[in-house]
Amino acid sequence: MSEYKMGNYSIKEVQAKMLEILIEVDRICRKHNIKYILDGGTMLGAVRHKGFIPWDDDLDIALLRNDYDKLIEVCKTELGEEFVFQHYKSEKLYPLHFGKIKIKNTKYVESDYRNLNINHGVYIDVFPIDYINPRTKHFQFKYISFIYGIRLKKIGFDISGRKLWKRFMMNVFSVLPFSIINKWSENVMKLNNKKNSDLVNKVCHPGSIRPDYPRDIYTDVIELEFEGHKFFVPKN
């Protein structure tokens, strides 16, 4: 099998650190009855390889919004001192609408955010999953993408590639304090969370509009082997 490298080091070194984070998160979630699943390529790796896809350079988990918020609170006291839960409320220059749990005293810089004065440690992505109404879905995705642009402008990113009217509006709203932008973001992402819906989506992640999924994917789970450990994936 080929040895995959990132720069001058083996990707296995990064994967081993990511696995350390996942083991810690799994410990906390089991202790506090927080449900999560392996997500994206991480879940595919569990099914196909019983571990990382050999060339995969990230690790993803996802939780319904209530569990995501609970995990943030629990991690304030439970997370080992060598780790940090990074999100836009913990570091004001952090640009994303989902969180990352990182290992302190490591360096794993994402090129898009290399100039930001934030923690750049090895990380796993932690995605909150929100309820969706298919009739308002397009609005939510477009709106959260717009707020993401406001956040980028406020922390000093170049937004010149966006349409003129969007640049104008992003410049105007970027004068708002982070506390208001954060509340604005949450209101959009949680728009349907108090309504009776069985469908969910990753509203936190601007970009292409994804298909909706039944909420049971995140609640009806089983254990599957991943790098010699057992973690949770959707039952079906």
Side-chain angles (χ1 to χ4, degrees):
M1 182 178 290
S2 300
E3 182 181 357
Y4 297 93
K5 287 184 172 289
M6 301 185 68
N8 296 320
Y9 54 90
S10 168
I11 198 171
K12 287 187 176 296
E13 296 178 60
V14 178
Q15 291 174 342
K17 288 295 183 183
M18 291 174 176
L19 181 61
E20 286 183 35
I21 304 171
L22 180 59
I23 291 170
E24 173 69 355
V25 173
D26 176 74
R27 177 190 70 80
I28 293 171
C29 287
R30 289 176 189 268
K31 179 177 178 180
H32 292 275
N33 194 30
I34 297 172
K35 288 190 175 181
Y36 73 89
I37 63 166
L38 303 183
D39 190 37
T42 308
M43 186 186 347
L44 177 61
V47 173
R48 195 167 68 184
H49 302 275
K50 294 186 177 181
F52 285 101
I53 297 173
W55 53 89
D56 201 357
D57 62 353
D58 70 354
L59 193 156
D60 303 327
I61 67 170
L63 315 84
L64 291 176
R65 172 66 67 173
N66 284 344
D67 280 324
Y68 177 84
D69 290 345
K70 182 177 179 180
L71 182 61
I72 287 179
E73 286 303 310
V74 166
C75 280
K76 291 177 181 178
T77 55
E78 287 279 359
L79 196 62
E81 62 180 16
E82 67 270 38
F83 305 100
V84 60
F85 199 150
Q86 184 183 55
H87 47 87
Y88 58 73
K89 289 184 178 179
S90 68
E91 288 189 55
K92 69 178 183 179
L93 297 183
Y94 179 74
L96 302 170
H97 288 115
F98 57 90
K100 296 176 183 285
I101 297 182
K102 298 189 171 184
I103 297 186
K104 300 175 184 177
N105 301 319
T106 62
K107 193 170 185 179
Y108 187 59
V109 181
E110 296 178 271
S111 60
D112 287 348
Y113 310 120
R114 62 187 179 277
N115 295 322
L116 289 179
N117 183 24
I118 60 174
N119 184 300
H120 289 288
V122 175
Y123 65 88
I124 69 171
D125 288 321
V126 185
F127 293 105
I129 303 298
D130 291 290
Y131 290 89
I132 203 83
N133 181 337
R135 290 183 300 228
T136 61
K137 172 181 173 179
H138 185 79
F139 161 80
Q140 277 183 286
F141 272 81
K142 292 296 184 182
Y143 209 166
I144 203 66
S145 181
F146 177 69
I147 298 172
Y148 174 62
I150 294 170
R151 194 183 294 279
L152 290 181
K153 171 61 180 177
K154 188 170 181 65
I155 61 181
F157 273 71
D158 179 10
I159 59 170
S160 59
R162 298 173 186 252
K163 293 180 180 179
L164 180 60
W165 72 269
K166 286 187 177 180
R167 293 203 307 271
F168 173 76
M169 296 302 292
M170 288 171 184
N171 282 326
V172 170
F173 286 113
S174 66
V175 302
L176 293 172
F178 280 109
S179 59
I180 293 179
I181 295 173
N182 292 344
K183 189 64 177 177
W184 192 6
S185 301
E186 290 193 359
N187 286 343
V188 174
M189 289 187 286
K190 297 179 178 181
L191 181 64
N192 292 289
N193 285 8
K194 292 184 179 180
K195 299 175 183 177
N196 186 21
S197 174
D198 291 324
L199 296 175
V200 295
N201 209 310
K202 198 180 287 182
V203 185
C204 64
H205 201 357
S208 59
I209 298 179
R210 303 166 186 82
D212 304 325
Y213 294 98
R215 69 181 300 277
D216 293 351
I217 284 179
Y218 300 91
T219 58
D220 195 3
V221 298
I222 60 171
E223 292 181 307
L224 209 60
E225 182 179 345
F226 185 90
E227 298 295 338
H229 301 267
K230 292 291 184 71
F231 302 108
F232 292 106
V233 299
K235 183 176 180 180
N236 295 316

